[in-house]
Amino acid sequence: MRIIVTGGAGFIGSHFVRQAVQNQYPALAGAELVVVDKLTYAGRKENLAPVLADPRVRFVQGDICDTELMRDVLRNTDLVVHFAAESHVDRSISGAAEFVRTNVLGTQTLLSAALEAEVGKFVHVSTDEVYGSLDADGTPWTEEEPLSPNSPYAASKASADLLVLAFHRTHGLPVCLTRGSNTYGPYQYPEKIIPLFVSRLLAGRKVPLYGDGANVRDWLHVDDHCHGVALVAGGGEPGEIYNVGGGTELTNRELTGRLLDLLGLDESMVERVADRKGHDRRYAMDISKISGALGYKPAVPFDEGLAATVDWYRRHQGLWGEDA
Ligand code: NAD
């Protein structure tokens, strides 16, 4: 079995590759893995260091918008797992062009190459942010929820989702979509709230909390996220969408409190800053579809996962240079 993993040098993609090589996903055991990654600011080839010497792993530095390269790389491929994306909401607010290029045009380029190569399955890794924003008492989203993205990031991911589904409906390409919730764990570039706050606090710096801090996110450990993606890769039905949630809803204020506790610090390290433009209030997903169909269940207790993540950043301070 030959698997292409786009964005495999980033946070979630590299975890998926490291775990797959260690045969953590029965459906993918023994497969050859080809990582395709442009190595933007968010990707590091070193994230794959534990497995790069394995003969089943090949690394190709390249852009998913490169039609010729994607045609070439996807030849004789059984499975594409598509993680590559511009992934940070704040960056999409200050400049959306790269988000449209990579997330929309890049996904279309891959889909066309996958169609030509007649790949066995195409798993597109998407996000709960495509559903929009929920009130505090709103019912968690099922996969049937209409798309209502707010940030340019979420809009670019929703556009990609529609293209992926269009390639299934028009051409019969065997696609599956996963929609993961806010993911945390080791190897994440320090710009999103958990790695940013941990890195700054470890360096003795204050952390910026947006607005009233009451925005709610559904936290998912990277190991659970990747298990969900692997289950869909192995047994997901073509044309279907699967929510992958973590089940731990916290306000950003509560999350910050947990991080301060883990590091033995107090509120004086928190600086209130103006809210993010268009800041979604709450994300929450119903995961009964993937649980019922594929046996998915988040396994990493949040407090344990968070403590281990803080510990990992403590042991890897300065990994991203000036940023951390
Ligand atoms: P990341 O930013 O850590 O990694 C993205 C990777 O894609 C990087 O290695 C980068 O170099 C690569 N990349 C970017 N543009 C590329 C291009 N044009 N060609 C080839 N490679 C390119 O992101 P992540 O947090 O690991 O997210 C992976 C996927 O999961 C994304 O599709 C994201 O939308 C989705 N997702 C993320 C979260 C989260 O909380 N992080 C939650 C749900 C879904």
Side-chain angles (χ1 to χ4, degrees):
M1 188 183 199
R2 177 180 147 96
I3 307 176
I4 303 292
V5 183
T6 73
F11 163 48
I12 306 174
S14 71
H15 187 88
F16 184 87
V17 173
R18 293 191 304 272
Q19 294 297 100
V21 173
Q22 286 156 29
N23 294 325
Q24 295 298 308
Y25 308 132
L28 315 181
E32 176 199 353
L33 291 130
V34 180
V35 173
V36 179
D37 199 297
K38 187 179 171 186
L39 297 181
T40 68
Y41 75 94
R44 296 170 68 248
K45 197 173 172 187
E46 295 77 16
N47 289 350
L48 296 167
V51 296
L52 268 183
D54 192 293
R56 286 170 299 165
V57 178
R58 187 155 79 87
F59 182 82
V60 177
Q61 181 169 1
D63 190 330
I64 57 165
C65 300
D66 182 335
T67 305
E68 288 311 314
L69 182 65
M70 291 309 109
R71 272 185 164 159
D72 190 38
V73 171
L74 262 65
R75 237 173 251 137
N76 303 317
T77 291
D78 300 291
L79 169 68
V80 176
V81 187
H82 176 33
F83 291 97
E86 285 294 330
S87 67
H88 188 42
V89 174
D90 285 347
R91 285 180 188 255
S92 78
I93 293 169
S94 47
E98 202 51 34
F99 286 74
V100 174
R101 203 187 80 86
T102 286
N103 300 1
V104 186
L105 182 61
T107 299
Q108 175 267 312
T109 306
L110 272 177
L111 288 164
S112 298
L115 190 64
E116 194 177 300
E118 299 179 1
V119 304
K121 192 181 250 185
F122 187 104
V123 178
H124 174 64
V125 179
S126 188
T127 163
D128 57 1
E129 301 194 27
V130 299
Y131 295 125
S133 179
L134 268 179
D135 292 333
D137 57 357
T139 308
W141 296 304
T142 68
E143 292 81 355
E144 306 299 316
E145 184 72 22
L147 300 184
S148 184
N150 293 312
S151 72
Y153 162 67
S156 70
K157 293 295 291 188
S159 308
D161 287 14
L162 293 177
L163 273 171
V164 172
L165 290 168
F167 268 69
H168 175 68
R169 291 170 188 159
T170 305
H171 300 291
L173 188 70
V175 306
C176 287
L177 286 82
T178 61
R179 292 192 176 136
S181 62
N182 275 58
T183 305
Y184 73 100
Y187 293 92
Q188 187 174 22
Y189 180 81
E191 61 184 350
K192 293 166 188 134
I193 185 165
I194 291 181
L196 177 74
F197 280 22
V198 174
S199 302
R200 288 218 178 158
L201 291 170
L202 284 168
R205 295 167 63 194
K206 291 193 177 197
V207 294
L209 187 63
Y210 280 138
D212 64 2
N215 305 67
V216 174
R217 299 294 182 259
D218 167 9
W219 289 100
L220 170 67
H221 192 271
V222 66
D223 201 47
D224 288 326
H225 191 157
C226 289
H227 262 292
V229 171
L231 285 171
V232 170
E237 287 293 325
E240 292 296 318
I241 302 167
Y242 297 89
N243 288 344
V244 184
T248 302
E249 281 193 49
L250 290 176
T251 64
N252 287 343
R253 231 177 15 238
E254 289 167 332
L255 173 66
T256 305
R258 307 252 185 135
L259 292 175
L260 292 172
D261 288 348
L262 281 167
L263 290 159
L265 297 168
D266 62 34
E267 286 283 328
S268 65
M269 297 303 286
V270 180
E271 200 173 6
R272 292 298 179 95
V273 298
D275 207 356
R276 168 191 275 169
K277 281 188 191 174
H279 203 173
D280 287 339
R281 201 62 180 165
R282 173 174 169 241
Y283 303 136
M285 285 191 296
D286 182 328
I287 58 166
S288 44
K289 180 171 172 181
I290 188 170
S291 304
L294 302 173
Y296 168 79
K297 191 167 171 255
V300 182
F302 183 74
D303 286 329
E304 281 175 29
L306 193 66
T309 301
V310 168
D311 192 48
W312 188 89
Y313 279 91
R314 186 183 278 121
R315 287 184 283 108
H316 294 85
Q317 280 185 68
L319 199 63
W320 282 272
E322 290 291 297
D323 297 318

